C-alpha cells in the first residue's frame, strides 16, 4: 500500500501525445530514477503525480488512493526550472511555501530554523532571495521542498548548479529520507548521479516507457561487454584479435588496457589464453557491467 | 473560501503593503496629487497673465487711427505689460529693431461698426495678450460710443449687468435643498471628474500590479511550486483579491487624507473669514461661509461612498481577472503591451467620453456607457457626482457588472490554467478559444 503507482497513464496536449500508457511503481524506502531525453514526458508525468495536470486516462495512486488535492500536501516537489520571489525574505517565502503545504505557522518557524542551520544558511533567513548566490538559492528551494516533511519527495535535477560539497550534503539528506522510508522520485539526465543514488529506474522516451525496474536487474539484462586488464609483460595477440573483429582496443595505457568485447570473443577463453602466456603476470581481469549511460544511449538511440 | 486562497490573499497583501514603495506612495500620493493640481493652476495662470516674471513683460504700442480711443485703452488696462502710443511707421520700425514686442492697430472704421483692431507681432504667440487687449479695446470702444450718445448712467449699469444661473438640487422630500450655491455646479463637476479618474486610475494601477505579479511568478518559475500546492484557480483568485485589498487600503487612505485635508483647510480658512464682509449672518454653517467666497466642500453622501466602493470593486475584479489572463499568456511585461490594448480599450473609451458625460449626464451615450459593464465604473461615478442617476439604472448597472465579473473570472481561469506553466505561447484567437474549450 505504501507506494506510488502509475497505471496506464496517458496525457495528450491537442494532437500531441505527451505520455502514452505509462505504468510504474515507486516504493517506499527506495529511490526511483526517472530518466529520459528532453521532451520525453518526464515533467508531464511529474505534473500528473503532483496533481498539477490531470491525466486523460489511467490512474495514479498514492497509498492505494487516487491522487488529487488531498495528496498535494503529501508530496514535496522540487521542479527543474525553479525560482524564488526575488524581493521576499528567505524566512517569509519558506513560511509561505510551508503553509501552502499545510504546515502551521508556528511549527514552520522552528522547521525553517532547523533546516537553514543544517544547510549552513542560518544567517540568511532575514535576507532577500536576490541577495543570495545561485547555490544558496538552490538550497533554499530544496528546503522548501522538504519543509512539510512530505511522504513523497520528487526531485527534478536536484544537484544542478551545486558545488560538489553541497551536492554531497544534499545527497546525504536524500539518503537519510530514503532510510526513513519515504518514496523518492529522482529525475535527471546525469547518469552517474542516477547510478549512484537510485535503486530503481524508469527510462522514458517520446512519452513511452522503454525500460523499468531494479537498477541491478536492469543492468543484468545487458551483457558485460567491456574488459579491463592490468598486467606486467607483453600481450602479443591483442592487435591480431582486433584485426579479426573479436575485440576493440578502447584505451591502452602503461600496464593496462580497456577492451570492447565483440560477439565472437569468449571472455573465458581469453582468460585461459592469458594465463598460459609466459613472462606475463595478470593482475586484473575485470569484465565490466555496462554503465547506465551506455544503456541509456543504446535504448534511447534505438527508440528515437 | 478555501484556506489556501486565504493564505495567498494574505501573502499578496502583506508582501505589498509592507514594501517601502507602498508606504511612500500611499503617504505622498495625495500630496503629489494636490501639488500637481496647484502646479497646473499656477502654470496656466502665469501663461495667461504673463506677469510673474520680469522677462515676460512686453512692450506693446497702440496705434490709434480713431484719435479718440487710446486714452480710454490706457486707463482701462490693468495688466503688467507696458503700453505706449505710437504712429504706425515708428511702431513697425521699432518692432523690427527690438524696441517693441508687438503693436495694435485700431482702424478708424471701428467707430462706425466696420473692421477690427489687429495685433501685429514678430513671434506670434501672444494669445494671452490678444484675449486681454480684446476686452480692453471692446470696453473702451463701448464707453466712447455710449458717451457720444449721452447715455445716462442707469442705462449703462443695465448694459453692464450680468446674470448667473444658480443651481439648487432638491432632496427626495422635494423641499429641502441638498445643496445650493453659485459655484456648486463647478464643484460637482470637479468632484465627478476626480471620482471618475480615481476609478479609472485605480483599475489601471492595481490591474497592472496583477499583470506584473503573474508575469513575475511565471518568469521566476515560482508558479510551479505554488500550483503543486494549490489549484491554479485559487492562485488566480488569491492574487486578484489580495492585490485588490492593497488597492482598497491605499485608495481608502487617500480618500481619508484628501477629505480630511479639505475639511481641515476649510475650517482653518473659515476661521479667517469675517461673515459680515460677505453680507451673511455670523451664525451660518461653515459650508455656507465657504460658499460665499466660492470655496466648495463636496457633498459626499454615504450612498455615493457605497456606490464608489461597489463600482470600484466590481470594475477592479472584472479587469483584474482579465489582466491576470494576459499575464499568463506572455513571458515579459513588454510582450503584454500588444495584448493589453484590446483589453483596455473599453476602459479608455469610457474615460474619453467623460467630458461629454459631464455636459449631459442623461444623454443616451452617458446612460449607455454607465450601464455597459466594461465601461460603467468611471462614467457612473461622474453621473452620480452630478446627482443625475435614477436608482434603477444604478442597480441595473451593478447587476450587469456582477454578471460580467463571473464571466471574466471564468474566461481568465480557463486561460490561466492552460497557460500558466507553458512558455513562448503563440497567442491567437484560435488558441484562446481552444483554452476556453479546455483543449
Amino acid at each position: 500500500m505504501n507506494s506510488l503507482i502509475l497505471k496506464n497513464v496517458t496525457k495528450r496536449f491537442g494532437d500531441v501525445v505527451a505520455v502514452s500508457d505509462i505504468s510504474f511503481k515507486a516504493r517506499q524506502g527506495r529511490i526511483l530514477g526517472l530518466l529520459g531525453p528532453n521532451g520525453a514526458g518526464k515533467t508531464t508525468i511529474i505534473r500528473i503525480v503532483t496533481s498539477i495536470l490531470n491525466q486523460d486516462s489511467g490512474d495514479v495512486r498514492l497509498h492505494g488512493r487516487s491522487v488529487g488535492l488531498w495528496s498535494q500536501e503529501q508530496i514535496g516537489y522540487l521542479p527543474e526550472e525553479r525560482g524564488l520571489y526575488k524581493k521576499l525574505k528567505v524566512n517569509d517565502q519558506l513560511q509561505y511555501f510551508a503553509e501552502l503545504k499545510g504546515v502551521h505557522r508556528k511549527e514552520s518557524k522552528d522547521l525553517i530554523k532547523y533546516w537553514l542551520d543544517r544547510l549552513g544558511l542560518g544567517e540568511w533567513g532575514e535576507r532577500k532571495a536576490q541577495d543570495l548566490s545561485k547555490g544558496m538559492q538552490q538550497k533554499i528551494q530544496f528546503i522548501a521542498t522538504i519543509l512539510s516533511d512530505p511522504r513523497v519527495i520528487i526531485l527534478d535535477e536536484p544537484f544542478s548548479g551545486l558545488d560538489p560539497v553541497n551536492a554531497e550534503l544534499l545527497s546525504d539528506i536524500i539518503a537519510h529520507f530514503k532510510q526513513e522510508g519515504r518514496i523518492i522520485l529522482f529525475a535527471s539526465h546525469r547518469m552517474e548521479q542516477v547510478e549512484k543514488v537510485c535503486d530503481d529506474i524508469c527510462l522514458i522516451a517520446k512519452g513511452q516507457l522503454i525500460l523499468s525496474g531494479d537498477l541491478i536487474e536492469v543492468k543484468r539484462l545487458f551483457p558485460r561487454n567491456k574488459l579491463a586488464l592490468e598486467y606486467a609483460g607483453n600481450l602479443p595477440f591483442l592487435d591480431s584479435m582486433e584485426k579479426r573483429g573479436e575485440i576493440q582496443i578502447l584505451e591502452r595505457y602503461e600496464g593496462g588496457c580497456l577492451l570492447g568485447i565483440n560477439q565472437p570473443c569468449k571472455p573465458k577463453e581469453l582468460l585461459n589464453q592469458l594465463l598460459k602466456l609466459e613472462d606475463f603476470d595478470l593482475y586484473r581481469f575485470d569484465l565490466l557491467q555496462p554503465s547506465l549511460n551506455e544503456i541509456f544511449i543504446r535504448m534511447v538511440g534505438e527508440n528515437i | 473560501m478555501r484556506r489556501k486562497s486565504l493564505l495567498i490573499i494574505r501573502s499578496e497583501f502583506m508582501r505589498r503593503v509592507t514594501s517601502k514603495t507602498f508606504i511612500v506612495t500611499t503617504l505622498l500620493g495625495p500630496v503629489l496629487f494636490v501639488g500637481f493640481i496647484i502646479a497646473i493652476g499656477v502654470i496656466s495662470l502665469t501663461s495667461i497673465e504673463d506677469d510673474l516674471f520680469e522677462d515676460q513683460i512686453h512692450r506693446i504700442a497702440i496705434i490709434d487711427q480713431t484719435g479718440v480711443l487710446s486714452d480710454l485703452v490706457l486707463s482701462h488696462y490693468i495688466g503688467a505689460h507696458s503700453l505706449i502710443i505710437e504712429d504706425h511707421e515708428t511702431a513697425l520700425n521699432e518692432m523690427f529693431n527690438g524696441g517693441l514686442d508687438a503693436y495694435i492697430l485700431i482702424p478708424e472704421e471701428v467707430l462706425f461698426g466696420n473692421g477690427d483692431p489687429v495685433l501685429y507681432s514678430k513671434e506670434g504667440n501672444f494669445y494671452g495678450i490678444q484675449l486681454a487687449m480684446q476686452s480692453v479695446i471692446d470696453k473702451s470702444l463701448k464707453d466712447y460710443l455710449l458717451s457720444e450718445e449721452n447715455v445716462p448712467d442707469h442705462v449703462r449699469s443695465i448694459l453692464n449687468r450680468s446674470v448667473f444661473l444658480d443651481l439648487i438640487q432638491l432632496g427626495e422630500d422635494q423641499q429641502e435643498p441638498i445643496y445650493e450655491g453659485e459655484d456648486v455646479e463647478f464643484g460637482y463637476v470637479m468632484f465627478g471628474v476626480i471620482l471618475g479618474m480615481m476609478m479609472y486610475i485605480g483599475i489601471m494601477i492595481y490591474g497592472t500590479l496583477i499583470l506584473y505579479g503573474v508575469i513575475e511568478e511565471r518568469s521566476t518559475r515560482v508558479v510551479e511550486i505554488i500550483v503543486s500546492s494549490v489549484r491554479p484557480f485559487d492562485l488566480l483568485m488569491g492574487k486578484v483579491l489580495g492585490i485588490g485589498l492593497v488597492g482598497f487600503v491605499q485608495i481608502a487612505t487617500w480618500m481619508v487624507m484628501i477629505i480630511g485635508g479639505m475639511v481641515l483647510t476649510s475650517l482653518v480658512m473659515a476661521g479667517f473669514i469675517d461673515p459680515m464682509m460677505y453680507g451673511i449672518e455670523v451664525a451660518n454653517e461653515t459650508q455656507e461661509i465657504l460658499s460665499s467666497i466660492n470655496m466648495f466642500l463636496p457633498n459626499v453622501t454615504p450612498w455615493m461612498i457605497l456606490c464608489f466602493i461597489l463600482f470600484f470593486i466590481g470594475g477592479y475584479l472584472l479587469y483584474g481577472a482579465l489582466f491576470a489572463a494576459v499575464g499568463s499568456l506572455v513571458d515579459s511585461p513588454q510582450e503584454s503591451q500588444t495584448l493589453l490594448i484590446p483589453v483596455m480599450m473599453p476602459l479608455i473609451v469610457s474615460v474619453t467620453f467623460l467630458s461629454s458625460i459631464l455636459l449631459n449626464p442623461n444623454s443616451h451615450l452617458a446612460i449607455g456607457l454607465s450601464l455597459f459593464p466594461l465601461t460603467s465604473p468611471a462614467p457612473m461615478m461622474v453621473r452620480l457626482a452630478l446627482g443625475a442617476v435614477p436608482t434603477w439604472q444604478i442597480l441595473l448597472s451593478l447587476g450587469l457588472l456582477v454578471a460580467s465579473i463571473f464571466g471574466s473570472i471564468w474566461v481568465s481561469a480557463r486561460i490561466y490554467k492552460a497557460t500558466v506553466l507553458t512558455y513562448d505561447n503563440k497567442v491567437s484567437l484560435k488558441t484562446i478559444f481552444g483554452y476556453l474549450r479546455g483543449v
Side-chain angles (χ1 to χ4, degrees):
Chain A
M1 285 292 273
N2 290 330
S3 57
L4 173 73
I5 299 172
L6 275 80
K7 207 169 174 188
N8 307 113
V9 171
T10 297
K11 175 74 187 175
R12 290 182 191 84
F13 294 108
D15 299 332
V16 180
V17 183
V19 172
S20 171
D21 201 31
I22 294 270
S23 301
F24 65 78
K25 181 177 181 180
R27 291 168 287 177
Q28 68 168 3
R30 292 178 72 86
I31 300 177
L32 175 92
L34 208 53
L35 313 175
N38 291 328
K42 298 189 299 287
T43 305
T44 306
I45 290 173
I46 292 173
R47 286 178 180 173
I48 290 170
V49 171
T50 50
S51 303
I52 294 173
L53 293 175
N54 296 325
Q55 68 272 27
D56 296 330
S57 61
D59 197 10
V60 182
R61 289 181 170 267
L62 178 63
H63 309 325
R65 191 176 157 197
S66 288
V67 295
L69 291 177
W70 74 271
S71 58
Q72 286 192 322
E73 290 187 1
Q74 312 258 330
I75 301 174
Y77 170 36
L78 179 71
E80 181 183 7
E81 290 197 85
R82 49 194 172 245
L84 297 168
Y85 292 108
K86 289 178 192 160
K87 293 189 174 169
L88 198 58
K89 285 178 190 165
V90 168
N91 281 338
D92 291 342
Q93 30 201 332
L94 284 175
Q95 187 171 336
Y96 179 47
F97 294 143
E99 284 187 84
L100 286 178
K101 285 285 183 194
V103 182
H104 287 288
R105 203 177 171 77
K106 229 176 180 180
E107 195 188 331
S108 68
K109 284 186 178 164
D110 295 337
L111 282 167
I112 291 166
K113 190 175 181 324
Y114 168 79
W115 281 109
L116 284 178
D117 285 342
R118 181 152 175 196
L119 286 169
L121 295 168
E123 306 294 312
W124 295 84
E126 284 301 302
R127 302 287 286 272
K128 288 179 181 170
Q130 63 188 11
D131 300 335
L132 272 62
S133 72
K134 200 167 174 250
M136 285 174 175
Q137 291 189 27
Q138 293 271 90
K139 289 199 280 184
I140 299 293
Q141 286 146 1
F142 180 76
I143 294 174
T145 310
I146 56 169
L147 206 53
S148 62
D149 200 21
R151 303 315 299 162
V152 181
I153 299 169
I154 301 176
L155 306 167
D156 199 347
E157 300 287 0
F159 301 123
S160 71
L162 283 182
D163 59 56
V165 177
N166 281 311
E168 195 60 36
L169 186 63
L170 253 59
S171 196
D172 288 345
I173 295 170
I174 295 168
H176 179 71
F177 281 134
K178 178 185 151 184
Q179 279 175 356
E180 284 185 342
R182 322 247 176 160
I183 297 167
I184 301 171
L185 250 64
F186 184 102
S188 181
H189 299 109
R190 304 274 303 271
M191 294 304 143
E192 76 285 358
Q193 283 176 358
V194 174
E195 211 159 357
K196 195 174 153 195
V197 170
C198 296
D199 305 295
D200 301 306
I201 61 156
C202 203
L203 180 54
I204 294 156
K206 286 188 175 175
Q208 292 185 323
L209 189 65
I210 306 297
L211 191 66
S212 72
D214 184 304
L215 179 61
I216 297 168
E217 297 296 324
V218 166
K219 279 190 157 186
R220 276 195 194 136
L221 294 174
F222 294 85
R224 292 175 178 251
N225 58 357
K226 276 186 188 160
L227 179 62
L229 292 178
E230 282 176 21
Y231 51 86
N234 285 325
L235 254 180
F237 48 79
L238 276 187
D239 290 328
S240 58
M241 280 180 83
E242 189 173 30
K243 274 180 192 163
R244 288 200 300 275
E246 291 174 21
I247 59 160
Q248 290 162 283
I249 303 170
L250 300 173
E251 222 179 313
R252 210 198 285 255
Y253 47 91
E254 186 66 38
C257 61
L258 182 67
L259 306 176
I261 309 271
N262 293 336
Q263 205 57 40
C265 175
K266 295 201 168 51
K268 266 187 191 173
E269 288 176 12
L270 181 61
L271 179 61
N272 283 332
Q273 270 182 293
L274 291 173
L275 290 174
K276 285 175 192 165
L277 284 173
E278 287 179 9
D279 299 327
F280 180 85
D281 292 320
L282 184 63
Y283 303 131
R284 183 180 174 207
F285 184 95
D286 192 355
L287 208 47
L288 300 172
Q289 247 185 351
S291 71
L292 198 52
N293 198 34
E294 287 166 318
I295 295 174
F296 181 86
I297 291 167
R298 202 183 301 175
M299 292 305 293
V300 173
E302 281 170 14
N303 283 281
I304 285 177
Chain B
M1 189 177 284
R2 286 165 54 81
R3 188 179 61 85
K4 288 183 180 176
S5 297
L6 291 175
L7 280 174
I8 293 167
I9 292 172
R10 191 184 67 195
S11 166
E12 295 289 340
F13 179 74
M14 291 307 291
R15 240 187 299 155
R16 285 174 174 86
V17 293
T18 52
S19 73
K20 281 180 197 145
T21 320
F22 177 84
I23 295 166
V24 170
T25 51
T26 306
L27 295 179
L28 287 185
V31 178
L32 291 175
F33 183 72
V34 171
F36 183 64
I37 293 198
I38 291 173
I40 288 179
V42 168
I43 291 166
S44 48
L45 273 177
T46 53
S47 64
I48 291 174
E49 296 291 333
D50 268 354
D51 57 1
L52 275 190
F53 306 107
E54 288 234 340
D55 63 346
Q56 288 180 342
I57 294 175
H58 297 297
R59 278 169 58 81
I60 300 160
I62 307 288
I63 299 142
D64 181 18
Q65 292 180 341
T66 65
V68 290
L69 289 181
S70 54
D71 288 343
L72 283 169
V73 168
L74 290 184
S75 66
H76 284 315
Y77 181 69
I78 49 166
H81 299 297
S82 164
L83 296 189
I84 49 168
I85 315 288
E86 280 289 1
D87 63 84
H88 196 175
E89 200 178 331
T90 318
L92 191 64
N93 287 333
E94 278 290 296
M95 190 166 80
F96 283 94
N97 290 336
L100 273 179
D101 295 300
Y103 66 85
I104 295 168
L105 178 69
I106 307 174
E108 197 178 357
E109 307 92 83
V110 294
L111 294 178
F112 313 107
N114 299 320
D116 288 308
V118 182
L119 173 73
Y120 291 90
S121 78
K122 247 180 16 174
E123 294 170 11
N125 54 351
F126 281 76
Y127 185 62
I129 293 171
Q130 192 187 346
L131 285 183
M133 290 310 294
Q134 182 175 297
S135 77
V136 168
I137 296 170
D138 188 52
K139 196 169 182 329
S140 307
L141 179 63
K142 276 179 187 157
D143 273 0
Y144 173 76
L145 292 175
L146 290 173
S147 309
E148 285 295 292
E149 298 294 332
N150 292 319
V151 175
D153 284 349
H154 72 275
V155 179
R156 283 187 190 225
S157 69
I158 293 172
L159 287 171
N160 286 334
R161 197 177 153 190
S162 302
V163 170
F164 293 98
L165 181 62
D166 288 356
L167 175 80
I168 297 180
Q169 188 188 343
L170 292 178
E172 289 294 318
D173 57 2
Q174 300 184 1
Q175 293 288 328
E176 281 293 306
I178 293 174
Y179 194 73
E180 59 182 307
E182 226 166 62
D183 278 351
V184 69
E185 58 281 83
F186 175 72
Y188 271 80
V189 166
M190 278 308 291
F191 189 50
V193 170
I194 289 173
L195 285 186
M197 288 310 287
M198 268 177 97
M199 187 71 82
Y200 168 73
I201 293 169
I203 291 172
M204 290 288 289
I205 290 177
Y206 305 111
T208 310
L209 274 185
I210 296 179
L211 174 84
Y212 281 27
V214 172
I215 293 174
E216 186 208 2
E217 273 179 358
R218 275 163 50 77
S219 63
T220 58
R221 307 302 203 251
V222 175
V223 69
E224 184 138 9
I225 297 175
I226 297 175
V227 294
S228 73
S229 306
V230 297
R231 292 185 305 167
F233 180 77
D234 292 335
L235 176 59
L236 172 77
M237 287 314 295
K239 192 169 277 301
V240 171
L241 294 176
I243 293 175
L245 213 54
V246 175
F248 193 74
V249 167
Q250 193 161 46
I251 287 194
T253 314
W254 283 344
M255 286 192 93
V256 168
M257 283 171 79
I258 289 173
I259 292 173
M262 283 171 83
V263 169
L264 202 67
T265 316
S266 311
L267 290 176
V268 169
M269 287 195 71
F272 285 100
I273 295 167
D274 179 6
M276 298 299 280
M277 263 177 71
Y278 295 91
I280 51 174
E281 286 177 27
V282 183
N284 271 333
E285 296 288 320
T286 307
Q287 186 148 310
E288 288 169 38
I289 296 173
L290 290 170
S291 68
S292 66
I293 57 157
N294 295 342
M295 264 208 68
F296 169 73
L297 206 59
N299 184 25
V300 186
T301 61
W303 172 237
M304 208 183 272
I305 293 176
L306 180 70
C307 282
F308 181 83
I309 292 171
L310 291 177
F311 276 97
F312 178 73
I313 293 173
Y316 166 78
L317 287 177
L318 180 67
Y319 276 96
L322 294 175
F323 274 58
V326 170
S328 73
L329 282 165
V330 298
D331 297 340
S332 68
Q334 290 78 14
E335 280 179 47
S336 66
Q337 300 307 317
T338 331
L339 279 180
L340 278 179
I341 292 171
V343 174
M344 281 168 34
M345 198 48 85
L347 203 57
I348 294 168
V349 166
S350 74
V351 176
T352 313
F353 284 109
L354 279 191
S355 53
S356 50
I357 295 170
L358 283 167
L359 290 175
N360 195 353
N362 283 323
S363 65
H364 292 307
L365 176 77
I367 295 172
L369 286 173
S370 60
L371 290 180
F372 183 59
L374 285 168
T375 54
S376 63
M380 185 56 95
M381 280 328 294
V382 172
R383 292 183 67 213
L384 274 168
L386 296 171
V389 195
T391 312
W392 71 266
Q393 285 185 11
I394 300 174
L395 295 178
L396 177 63
S397 179
L398 277 173
L400 290 170
L401 191 57
V402 170
S404 310
I405 290 167
F406 282 108
S408 150
I409 290 175
W410 183 84
V411 166
S412 302
R414 289 257 160 170
I415 295 175
Y416 189 77
K417 191 182 175 192
T419 56
V420 73
L421 285 174
T422 57
Y423 297 88
D424 296 326
N425 293 309
K426 287 191 182 101
V427 183
S428 66
L429 279 177
K430 194 182 161 195
T431 54
I432 289 174
F433 281 119
Y435 300 141
L436 297 182
R437 289 201 315 272
V439 176

